[in-house]
């Protein structure tokens, strides 16, 4: 006779739930990194945390009245995180400032 216990579906679900709960509690937060202005991609795209400081002679896309209205927080690639920063797909989901800008800006 065997001592092995047959596991029911309920046992498996309970164990799975416990594992998921444990991993959620034990896992450190996944706060995304903030893009720095000296990041190579940021430099290549003219990204700045403060769009009003963009050199519009160099980055003509942000010149003029229309350009002055371009900010990360109204860019189609910006996903707001609710704290003045948002994830940007150009930077693989790292955070950019809502008031920032880069030359890849696309209207929402
Ligand atoms: S692509 Fe859009 S959200 Fe991303 S850095 Fe450039 S302007 Fe900001």
């Amino acid at each position: 006779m065997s001592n092995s216990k047959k596991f029911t579906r309920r046992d498996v679900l309970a164990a799975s739930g416990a594992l998921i709960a444990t991993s959620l509690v034990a896992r450190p937060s996944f706060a995304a990194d903030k893009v720095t202005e000296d990041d190579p991609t940021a430099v290549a795209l003219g990204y700045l945390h403060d769009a009003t400081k963009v050199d519009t002679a160099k980055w003509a896309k942000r010149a003029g009245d229309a350009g002055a209205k371009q900010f990360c927080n109204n860019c189609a690639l910006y996903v707001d995180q609710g704290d003045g920063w948002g994830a940007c797909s150009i930077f693989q989901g790292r955070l950019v400032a809502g008031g920032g800008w880069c030359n890849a800006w696309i209207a929402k």
Side-chain angles (χ1 to χ4, degrees):
M1 184 177 232
S2 169
N3 280 349
S4 65
K5 177 186 176 193
K6 285 191 176 175
F7 291 102
T8 65
R9 180 179 295 186
R10 179 179 291 176
D11 292 334
V12 173
L13 289 173
S16 299
L19 279 173
I20 290 169
T22 300
S23 67
L24 290 174
V25 170
R27 178 174 285 177
S29 69
F30 281 96
D33 292 336
K34 290 179 179 173
V35 171
T36 59
E37 293 179 347
D38 62 354
D39 175 284
T41 303
V43 172
L45 293 173
Y47 171 79
L48 291 180
H49 297 314
D50 182 351
T52 65
K53 295 186 176 163
V54 170
D55 178 356
T56 54
K58 181 175 181 182
W59 303 101
K61 181 175 180 176
R62 199 169 189 284
D65 291 343
K69 294 175 184 167
Q70 298 175 6
F71 294 94
C72 289
N73 60 15
N74 62 18
C75 172
L77 304 182
Y78 183 84
V79 179
D80 189 22
Q81 301 297 299
D83 56 358
W85 294 81
C88 173
S89 56
I90 289 286
F91 291 99
Q92 292 82 41
R94 287 187 292 150
L95 302 176
V96 295
W101 179 90
C102 90
N103 201 43
W105 182 90
I106 303 169
K108 262 188 186 165

